[in-house]
């Protein structure tokens, strides 16, 4: 009988590196890959709690569409290591500036020095407090149409108002489905220009607080309002408040600020990712030109729909009437 001894291997940190990358997701590993190819000494410190963990696949990434997030990370780690970089599991507790760079201390007591820092810790999603919502997150409760819109195309999609970007989110998801319902929830019902835009795009508005999600057979089937009414939906979009994971930077005086969109926090930086703190760069959630092109088209189409509705365009009226009839029939099926 052969006895096999299992030994747990822990990456040992060197005393110092050219760059310490904090965060081992796609952004951090991509940065580490380019730096190792530039023959820099690099270590990636990864806490192992990626934001996209609940998702079944990564979408919109060329040649890797549909790949499981965990597999993408493992491939990225192997590539970084292949060029001499290190990837170490651990959570950063504190970063302080020293004369020649930075001292990075992990919560387990290990410490390492860096000439430069790349912050790629990502964001934390603060979700609305609705019963059953969190357990469906990343499945049929989602936030990004570019990540998940194709998977829920032509389905009955709800959009839960939770912040200043919720109407914009509803208009975005209208590109993927004709059946969009906007739930005002605890927010004021859309008025003025926003109400006009939703009406022009055939997006129904339901007022009243959403109490819970209805799930049957591990599938979202509807939203239950506080008055007991159930509105059938197959998918739900929310706009969570996004909070930067940067508590360990307090000693540096580098703090997140509110994003201009009102959607959460971010670390301000210039176009290169350089922050106000010399030697510290940020990466992740990079602007996607394709998303901006689509958003520009949606804005144009919404303006056209509003204008057509205002002048009583016959073609628009016929299409709108058809959508209303479909909605009425659907409501009757749903018991509304």
């Amino acid at each position: 009988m052969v006895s096999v001894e299992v030994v747990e291997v822990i990456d040992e940190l060197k005393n110092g590196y050219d760059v310490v990358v904090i965060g081992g997701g796609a952004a951090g590993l991509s940065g580490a890959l380019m730096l190792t190819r530039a023959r820099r000494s690099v270590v990636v410190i990864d806490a192992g709690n990626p934001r996209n963990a609940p998702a079944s696949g990564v979408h919109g990434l060329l040649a890797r569409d549909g790949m499981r997030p965990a597999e993408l990370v493992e491939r990225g780690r192997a590539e970084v290591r292949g060029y001499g970089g290190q990837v170490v599991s651990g959570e950063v507790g504190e970063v302080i500036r020293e004369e020649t760079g930075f001292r990075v201390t992990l919560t387990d007591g290990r410490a390492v020095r860096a000439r430069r820092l790349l912050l790629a810790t990502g964001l934390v999603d603060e979700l609305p407090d609705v019963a059953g919502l969190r357990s469906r997150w990343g499945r049929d409760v989602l936030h990004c149409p570019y990540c998940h819109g194709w998977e829920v195309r032509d389905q009955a999609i709800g959009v839960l108002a939770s912040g200043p970007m919720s109407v914009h989110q509803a208009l975005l998801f209208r590109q993927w489905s004709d059946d969009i319902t906007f739930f005002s929830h605890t927010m004021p019902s859309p008025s003025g220009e926003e109400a006009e835009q939703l009406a022009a795009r055939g997006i129904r508005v339901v007022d009243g607080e959403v109490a819970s999600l209805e799930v049957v057979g591990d599938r979202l089937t509807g939203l239950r309002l506080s008055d007991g009414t159930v509105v059938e939906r197959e998918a739900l979009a929310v706009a969570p408040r996004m909070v930067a994971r940067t508590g360990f930077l307090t000693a540096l005086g580098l703090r997140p600020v509110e994003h201009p969109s009102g959607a959460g926090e971010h670390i301000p930086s210039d176009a290169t990712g350089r922050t106000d703190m010399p030697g510290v760069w940020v990466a992740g959630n990079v602007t996607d030109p394709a998303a901006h092109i689509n958003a520009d088209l949606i804005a144009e189409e919404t303006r056209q729909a509003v204008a057509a509705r205002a002048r009583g365009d016959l073609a628009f009226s016929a299409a709108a009437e058809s959508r209303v009839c479909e909605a009425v029939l659907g409501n009757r099926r749903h018991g509304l």
Side-chain angles (χ1 to χ4, degrees):
M1 180 176 179
V2 179
S3 176
V4 178
E5 182 181 1
V6 178
V7 180
E8 182 180 359
V9 177
I10 300 176
D11 286 327
E12 291 188 8
L13 289 167
K14 300 175 184 177
N15 183 55
Y17 298 83
D18 288 329
V19 184
V20 169
V21 180
I22 304 176
L29 291 171
S30 295
L33 178 63
M34 295 308 296
L35 288 163
T36 54
R37 284 178 54 84
R39 308 189 75 175
R40 295 295 180 183
S41 59
V42 178
V43 63
V44 178
I45 300 175
D46 184 17
N49 51 353
R51 183 187 182 199
N52 65 351
S56 61
V58 175
H59 297 291
L61 184 61
L62 188 64
R64 293 291 182 265
D65 191 76
M67 178 179 286
R68 293 182 299 105
E71 182 181 353
L72 179 67
V73 167
E74 283 306 313
R75 289 195 181 194
R77 288 178 171 183
E79 290 181 355
V80 169
R81 287 170 173 148
Y83 287 100
Q86 281 185 273
V87 181
V88 175
S89 295
E91 183 176 353
V92 174
E94 184 182 48
V95 178
I96 61 173
R97 177 173 284 284
E98 296 185 328
E99 185 176 347
T100 58
F102 305 91
R103 179 180 174 85
V104 180
T105 303
L106 279 61
T107 55
D108 62 10
R110 288 179 293 171
V112 63
R113 287 179 170 83
R115 295 173 60 194
R116 299 289 187 275
L117 291 179
L118 175 59
L119 308 178
T121 50
L123 302 168
V124 175
D125 295 305
E126 293 184 346
L127 299 175
D129 186 17
V130 174
L133 188 148
R134 182 170 293 277
S135 63
R136 308 303 303 178
W137 180 240
R139 301 164 71 188
D140 38 30
V141 175
L142 40 101
H143 79 288
C144 175
Y146 300 104
C147 301
H148 304 287
W150 178 262
E151 284 64 43
V152 298
R153 66 192 184 280
D154 300 324
Q155 293 185 19
I157 302 173
V159 177
L160 184 70
S162 58
M165 298 297 290
S166 293
V167 169
H168 173 69
Q169 187 180 39
L171 293 170
L172 280 178
F173 270 95
R174 177 63 177 78
Q175 175 65 20
W176 280 265
S177 174
D178 292 339
D179 188 357
I180 305 292
T181 297
F182 184 86
F183 294 84
S184 61
H185 190 39
T186 58
M187 304 282 289
S189 185
S191 60
E193 183 180 2
E194 288 187 334
E196 192 173 17
Q197 290 174 338
L198 293 173
R201 295 293 284 156
I203 297 173
R204 175 190 175 202
V205 175
V206 173
D207 292 326
E209 184 173 355
V210 175
S212 63
L213 271 57
E214 296 288 300
V215 178
V216 177
D218 198 32
R219 293 181 63 88
L220 176 67
T221 59
L223 278 67
R224 181 178 294 275
L225 304 182
S226 57
D227 65 3
T229 302
V230 175
V231 182
E232 292 188 7
R233 295 287 92 185
E234 298 170 280
L236 178 65
V238 301
R241 176 175 168 76
M242 295 173 285
V243 180
R245 307 181 193 189
T246 55
F248 57 86
L249 296 175
T250 303
L252 284 182
L254 190 61
R255 294 180 173 82
V257 300
E258 285 294 316
H259 193 275
S261 68
E265 300 175 344
H266 74 130
I267 297 291
S269 65
D270 64 17
T272 69
R274 187 193 300 263
T275 71
D276 292 336
M277 178 64 62
V280 180
W281 273 258
V282 293
N285 299 292
V286 179
T287 299
D288 183 350
H292 281 272
I293 292 171
N294 181 59
D296 188 53
L297 287 168
I298 287 173
E300 178 182 291
E301 291 160 358
T302 300
R303 289 193 298 269
Q304 292 171 345
V306 169
R309 186 169 184 266
R311 65 174 181 264
D313 187 291
L314 291 178
F316 174 84
S317 298
E321 183 177 355
S322 175
R323 283 196 297 271
V324 169
C325 289
E326 291 174 359
V328 169
L329 290 174
N331 291 344
R332 287 175 179 169
R333 290 196 299 270
H334 302 163
L336 301 178

